Amino acid sequence: MKMKLLPFGIEKKCVLAATNNGGRNWVTARAVRKKGRLNIIGLEKKAGDFHPRGLVAISVGARQSYILREEFPTRDQRLLNLQVSRKLKQIGLWSDAENLYNSIKNNVKPNGQNQVTAIALPGSEFEPVLDQLSCAKGARPMSIVPCEAAVAGLLGELTMEPVLSIYFSENYVKLLITLGKLPLSIQLVPVSEEGIGQDLLEYNVEKALDHGRKLCKDSVEKIVAFGSAPTDLPPVINGITLWKPDWRKIVETEDPQAVTRYPSLFGALFSDPDFDMRPSGWKLAYRLQSLSNVISGAAAAGIAIFATCSLMLHGYNTTLKKRQDGYRAALTAREKTLKERLPKAEQIKMVRQWVELKQKYEAEPKLYYLIGQLAKSLPAGVKVLNMKISRPGRKKMELNPTPGNAVQPPLPQASDVQNSTPHGPLGIMGRAWESEIVFITQGDFSQADSRLKEAVTRLQAYFQLKDVKRTYDESKQRGILSLKMKARNNQTS
């Protein structure tokens, strides 16, 4: 099968590397160009520091990465960088002491506004990678890109349509929306030790698809799973069949499934160059080294080029340091002003907890819906004598329904957010309601028993039943049915 040419030329071979935990663990491989084809061989996992030699392309992932999509009026690149950095700090995902590193792709719109796509990584996970490369003798970093840009580059080689990528990691799931080679948004879903349930996955996928429709001005029809996807992952999620790309169209590798497991590794060479996060000095050094390799034909010429490069690099670093000091002073002054205006950490925590509580409340089964289904399920002549409703973490609530009155559970109050302990509102949201109910029906034994059997059959269509007991009171000529029941997982509204 004929393969596409690389988006930019590489030498005969280079090293690919990917990390997503601050450089403590790596996945590496060798990329070899043969007659226009890209072969990825020698895939290997490494623990600890990574000190490569020769040409290397690196993808860096971080748990607390972020994608900013916003319009800015300025066209001055230096001022634009300051505005983007300031906006990222205002988001509040990281502590004030955390250094942020970002890469920016700018698209000037007809109205003069700049449509900026910026990917931010915290310094705690990006700086260790730079430190390891600085200590690597003979390493020539040709690119350092965020994981999101690498995945977008990989998918953009196959389709220009919007794609939702579900990346499964050990303790979180990331939902990434891409359009061509452009990453648009990312959503982090924490995962417990038991993993992520299908209901929670579909709920967050639906939110990501809705957001993708707004960003792309079109529906997202492709979903692809990456990383350590569970073996029981359903083939259809939210009505969309999982996309199985043919990776052989763009890369050749010993194990085609490795592309799905390590998309950021295989996408490092296909990412948009604007998302390269190498320091400016590194980019210049790489260009000068490449130029020297091309034109060095004699020792004298090599010495002259080396001397010229050294002088240029020294002057560039001196100018760069002066500019950085000026930017840092201006940014520090502005940050001080902004911090005085920002809400307190406790206020931000309260708002986040309230939003989480509201989302969980809206997503869980509603009590009035369950009672409505109960009323529709009862045969004529069968009545509710007593009902106790509870769920783990809360006291039982006894209801004595009367005709014409709907039972509505109380909404969470603002004060509940302060008590969002594992046994408070956030701790019990998502746990199924369980009811203990006693039904009665008048008539002789045959009539009463027939009605109660029919009631059990109807209730099983909507609820999970247990401890079902039928008795008959001869003195009062009535049948009695007692049971426990709870809603099925698909009853949400």
Side-chain angles (χ1 to χ4, degrees), residues 354-365:
W354 171 251
V355 171
E356 183 181 356
L357 179 61
K358 185 175 181 296
Q359 289 175 341
K360 287 190 175 183
Y361 173 78
E362 292 176 348
E364 71 171 6

Side-chain angles (χ1 to χ4, degrees), residues 22 24 62-66 85-86 88-102 120-128 328 331-332 335 339:
R24 295 186 297 275
R63 179 186 175 92
Q64 288 294 342
S65 59
Y66 185 79
S85 298
R86 186 187 312 146
L88 288 169
K89 276 292 187 181
Q90 291 175 352
I91 294 172
L93 280 179
W94 310 274
S95 67
D96 294 338
E98 182 77 81
N99 292 326
L100 291 184
Y101 293 79
N102 60 71
L121 299 179
S124 57
E125 298 195 65
F126 186 68
E127 289 170 350
R328 189 176 294 110
L331 184 59
T332 301
E335 283 182 343
K339 286 178 182 178

Side-chain angles (χ1 to χ4, degrees), residues 166-217:
I166 309 176
Y167 182 85
F168 293 88
S169 185
E170 291 182 0
N171 53 5
Y172 64 85
V173 171
K174 277 192 175 184
L175 304 178
L176 173 67
I177 297 288
T178 59
L179 180 63
K181 294 194 174 186
L182 188 64
L184 300 182
S185 73
I186 192 164
Q187 174 184 339
L188 177 70
V189 183
V191 176
S192 65
E193 294 180 357
E194 292 75 19
I196 184 170
Q198 184 174 346
D199 291 344
L200 180 59
L201 176 63
E202 292 186 349
Y203 172 73
N204 284 280
V205 166
E206 184 59 37
K207 288 200 304 182
L209 291 174
D210 288 341
H211 189 50
R213 280 189 281 268
K214 297 175 184 177
L215 292 173
C216 304
K217 312 293 188 208

Side-chain angles (χ1 to χ4, degrees), residues 109-243:
K109 304 183 71 175
N111 61 2
Q113 292 282 325
N114 294 284
Q115 177 65 67
V116 168
T117 302
I119 306 177
L121 299 179
S124 57
E125 298 195 65
F126 186 68
E127 289 170 350
V129 175
L130 297 181
D131 293 342
Q132 292 179 40
L133 291 176
S134 299
C135 297
K137 297 181 180 180
R140 295 178 56 205
M142 61 182 294
S143 65
I144 304 176
V145 297
C147 168
E148 293 78 10
V151 174
L154 184 69
L155 295 172
E157 285 292 305
L158 293 178
T159 178
M160 293 303 295
E161 299 177 12
V163 180
L164 170 61
S165 300
I166 309 176
Y167 182 85
F168 293 88
S169 185
E170 291 182 0
N171 53 5
Y172 64 85
V173 171
K174 277 192 175 184
L175 304 178
L176 173 67
I177 297 288
T178 59
L179 180 63
K181 294 194 174 186
L182 188 64
L184 300 182
S185 73
I186 192 164
Q187 174 184 339
L188 177 70
V189 183
V191 176
S192 65
E193 294 180 357
E194 292 75 19
I196 184 170
Q198 184 174 346
D199 291 344
L200 180 59
L201 176 63
E202 292 186 349
Y203 172 73
N204 284 280
V205 166
E206 184 59 37
K207 288 200 304 182
L209 291 174
D210 288 341
H211 189 50
R213 280 189 281 268
K214 297 175 184 177
L215 292 173
C216 304
K217 312 293 188 208
D218 195 5
S219 60
V220 181
E221 302 294 341
K222 283 184 168 64
I223 298 179
V224 61
F226 287 127
S228 55
T231 55
D232 58 348
L233 187 68
V236 178
I237 299 178
N238 291 71
I240 301 178
T241 302
L242 284 179
W243 182 36

